[in-house]
Amino acid sequence: EDKVVQSPLSLVVHEGDTVTLNCSYEVTNFRSLLWYKQEKKAPTFLFMLTSSGIEKKSGRLSSILDKKELFSILNITATQTGDSAVYLCAVYLQGAQKLVFGQGTRLTINP
Amino acid sequence: DSGVTQTPKHLITATGQRVTLRCSPRSGDLSVYWYQQSLDQGLQFLIQYYNGEERAKGNILERFSAQQFPDLHSELNLSSLELGDSALYFCASSSLGSYNSPLHFGNGTRLTVT
């Protein structure tokens, strides 16, 4: 069965800290890995990763994929209270044409 | 704003009833996906349509059905509702239905079955 596992499930840090969120996967026919941020409603797209070792960066957020070890990390530096959200990792399966989500990491940034 | 529109935002209904959720994809997107999000199970894939045809099926119950119309909007029909069907139902769209195109989500329909 295709599986995407995120850790930790919950994380509370202080504003200004740096956090690393983890996502590991065991799937057939991996094609790409995506990160989403979910606040109150719709998950919003952050990154799509298809190649190992190439860091994607957007402001204080960055992500990298390791296809050999089957995991990805999402880093957030200099965290702000607005970063508080659930971060979702998902893997796109070629052939099956569906996105399989992990259970999410709930990140809380305290002022 | 993702450009994906879902209606209604909230729906409260009784067990045994039938409801229809509606989704309009982003302009130009041919693929529509439906997901169910409940507290204990995260985002669960239900079904995908591409240009009017069913492309992939996930853990969708037989009591649930969906379709995509020629104008590309989609409807998810839930019948014989049970308390456990209470959840947030998301629609997402993408341009090609392939791994190169990220999914963009609507704000969801919150269904409460009483």
Side-chain angles (χ1 to χ4, degrees):
Chain A
E1 185 187 339
D2 300 310
K3 207 162 49 170
V4 178
V5 177
Q6 293 185 243
S7 64
L9 292 181
S10 180
L11 186 57
V12 181
V13 300
H14 290 292
E15 206 167 18
D17 288 352
T18 292
V19 298
T20 298
L21 310 184
N22 303 291
C23 175
S24 64
Y25 59 91
E26 286 180 37
V27 301
T28 52
N29 294 320
F30 171 92
R31 188 59 192 175
S32 57
L33 186 143
L34 292 85
W35 284 96
Y36 285 84
K37 177 182 181 182
Q38 186 176 22
E39 296 175 86
K40 291 184 179 175
K41 292 189 176 176
T44 52
F45 172 70
L46 294 175
F47 298 112
M48 174 184 274
L49 303 151
T50 54
S51 302
S52 272
I54 299 175
E55 185 183 51
K56 293 235 174 167
K57 205 168 165 62
S58 175
R60 297 176 293 101
L61 276 67
S62 63
S63 183
I64 198 161
L65 173 68
D66 185 329
K67 288 168 76 172
K68 185 179 174 189
E69 300 297 329
L70 308 183
F71 78 91
S72 173
I73 60 172
L74 175 69
N75 277 323
I76 309 175
T77 59
T79 52
Q80 303 170 357
T81 54
D83 296 327
S84 295
V86 175
Y87 290 83
L88 298 165
C89 170
V91 171
Y92 198 96
L93 307 182
Q94 189 173 0
Q97 298 204 33
K98 62 179 181 179
L99 206 54
V100 177
F101 280 85
Q103 66 274 57
T105 293
R106 181 172 297 278
L107 176 64
T108 303
I109 311 295
N110 288 327
Chain B
D1 182 9
S2 68
V4 179
T5 304
Q6 288 188 248
T7 56
K9 291 182 183 176
H10 300 278
L11 204 46
I12 301 174
T13 189
T15 53
Q17 295 299 304
R18 182 179 191 273
V19 297
T20 297
L21 314 184
R22 183 188 167 100
C23 169
S24 293
R26 290 189 321 163
S27 177
D29 283 358
L30 299 179
S31 265
V32 168
Y33 302 74
W34 286 97
Y35 280 82
Q36 180 191 57
Q37 188 175 42
S38 50
L39 281 174
D40 57 344
Q41 289 209 333
L43 269 164
Q44 298 292 314
F45 170 71
L46 296 178
I47 198 163
Q48 182 213 354
Y49 282 85
Y50 176 78
N51 204 19
E53 291 191 10
E54 182 183 305
R55 270 285 178 95
K57 220 167 184 174
N59 300 323
I60 187 166
L61 300 171
E62 283 190 16
R63 302 183 284 109
F64 296 1
S65 65
Q67 53 184 325
Q68 186 179 27
F69 295 87
D71 67 351
L72 301 177
H73 91 271
S74 178
E75 292 181 357
L76 179 68
N77 299 297
L78 315 177
S79 61
S80 303
L81 285 167
E82 302 175 359
L83 294 177
D85 297 328
S86 295
L88 198 49
Y89 290 85
F90 284 108
C91 169
S93 72
S94 69
S95 57
L96 296 173
S98 78
Y99 50 82
N100 281 333
S101 178
L103 273 63
H104 297 272
F105 285 80
N107 282 329
T109 292
R110 183 169 293 284
L111 173 66
T112 303
V113 182
T114 61

